[in-house]
């Protein structure tokens, strides 16, 4: 037990190395730009980008990942029965009984209830277990070593802003130092130890700028599609099968899911994301809303499908309304409910 505990402590300590490295680079860049170069005409813009970058980086690092609530834990009697049971089919029956009162739309690839044996909780939609943090994280995107934290529902907005302001910070430094970098190579820069800061400042800013740009672009695409990194590689499985666009509500509503309804807070690293992290609005269709389609779609909902919550209806209500198709009487008798989805006309 003791060696395992010591090993775990060492792993946690080593996990802070990338964060310390980034902190040292940022501190050095501040010293090189403000003290050595002392470009007064640029200092206002520099400090604004620097403060926003550090603020969003801090929030990304120290915002604790959101985890499933106690409602997703098995009651004591069901938990004891689940642990004693040896047959997976019977275990699934136990999970299904508990899950009937939970807002769950997604399943495993085999169609089973998603359950974490490590955390002993039923996984909410979009929730995944992080082996590095050793916990289930709501709407988990990925574990980032550069922040030594899981990026998920509670800090995904902060992570996007961290990428945004770090890109602005690097671009601004590279652009303002470029003229001195050119003078360095043409031997027009006065001899001083500051010239080496100019050289390395430009190279470091340009290097980070290139690497951050690709990551920033990718995550903007994910936000527009309302997908996590995990869902981009493995489509979420719903009751009627996998659907990579199952959580997509259209571009504007996808943006609001992460940044909130009030645009004045979008650029500030304060939490404004919609929802509670346990349940999410679903399209319940298998077509991409951003592709040209007909105005009428048909989709199927099983008898056990959980109704949309008030927050889900609020998000979908402005774009869609649902009307029962009375012509599908034969299908209703077979145990399936067919509905027609019309686009709203404003």
């Amino acid at each position: 037990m003791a060696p395992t505990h010591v090993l775990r402590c060492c792993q946690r300590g080593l996990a802070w190395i990338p964060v310390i490295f980034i902190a040292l680079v940022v501190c050095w860049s501040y010293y090189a730009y403000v003290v050595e170069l002392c470009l007064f005409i640029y200092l206002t813009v520099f400090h604004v980008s620097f403060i926003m970058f550090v603020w969003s980086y801090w929030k990304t690092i120290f915002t604790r990942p959101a985890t499933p609530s106690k409602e997703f834990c098995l009651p004591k009697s069901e938990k004891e029965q689940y642990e004693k049971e040896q047959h997976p089919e019977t275990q699934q029956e136990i999970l299904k009984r508990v899950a009937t009162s939970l807002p769950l739309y997604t399943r495993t690839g085999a169609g089973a209830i998603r359950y974490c044996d490590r955390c002993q909780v039923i996984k909410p939609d979009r929730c995944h277990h992080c082996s590095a943090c050793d916990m289930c994280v709501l709407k988990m995107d990925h574990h980032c070593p550069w922040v030594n934290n899981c990026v998920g529902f509670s800090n995904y907005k902060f992570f996007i802003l961290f990428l945004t302001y770090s890109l602005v910070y690097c671009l601004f430094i590279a652009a303002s130092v470029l003229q001195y970098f050119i003078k360095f190579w043409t031997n027009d820069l006065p001899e001083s130890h500051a010239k080496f800061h100019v050289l390395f400042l430009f190279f470091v800013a340009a290097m980070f700028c290139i690497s951050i740009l690709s990551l920033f672009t990718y995550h903007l695409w994910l936000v527009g599609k309302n997908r996590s990194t995990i869902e981009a590689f493995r489509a979420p499985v719903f009751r009627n099968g996998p659907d990579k666009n199952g959580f997509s509500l259209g571009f504007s509503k996808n943006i609001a899911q992460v940044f909130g309804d009030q645009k004045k807070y979008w650029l500030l690293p304060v939490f404004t994301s919609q929802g509670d992290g346990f349940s999410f609005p679903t399209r319940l269709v298998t077509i991409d809303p951003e592709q040209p389609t007909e105005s009428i779609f048909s989709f199927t909902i099983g008898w056990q499908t959980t109704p949309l919550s008030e927050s889900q209806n609020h998000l979908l209500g402005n774009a869609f309304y649902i009307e029962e198709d009375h012509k599908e009487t034969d299908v209703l008798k077979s145990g399936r409910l067919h509905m027609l989805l019309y686009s709203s006309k404003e």
Side-chain angles (χ1 to χ4, degrees), residues 126 222-227 231 236 238 243-255 257 280-285 287-290 316 320:
R126 315 183 82 173
L222 289 178
V223 171
K225 291 288 187 178
N226 203 350
R227 298 177 196 167
E231 292 165 352
F238 295 86
D243 185 356
K244 65 180 181 179
N245 297 308
F247 292 108
S248 181
L249 308 174
F251 182 77
S252 61
K253 292 185 182 297
N254 292 343
I255 297 294
Q257 281 272 290
F280 299 88
T282 57
R283 281 166 32 83
L284 299 178
V285 291
I287 43 185
D288 192 334
E290 298 176 25
L316 293 176
F320 308 108

Side-chain angles (χ1 to χ4, degrees), residues 320-332:
F320 308 108
Y321 67 89
I322 299 174
E323 182 178 303
E324 185 178 349
D325 183 3
H326 299 286
K327 296 181 181 180
E328 299 291 345
T329 55
D330 293 334
V331 181
L332 285 173

Side-chain angles (χ1 to χ4, degrees), residues 58-78:
W58 177 276
K59 294 283 285 186
T60 307
I61 295 173
F62 294 106
T63 299
R64 181 176 174 80
T67 57
S69 63
K70 62 181 181 179
E71 284 77 12
F72 290 87
C73 298
L74 294 179
K76 185 177 180 180
S77 58
E78 280 79 2

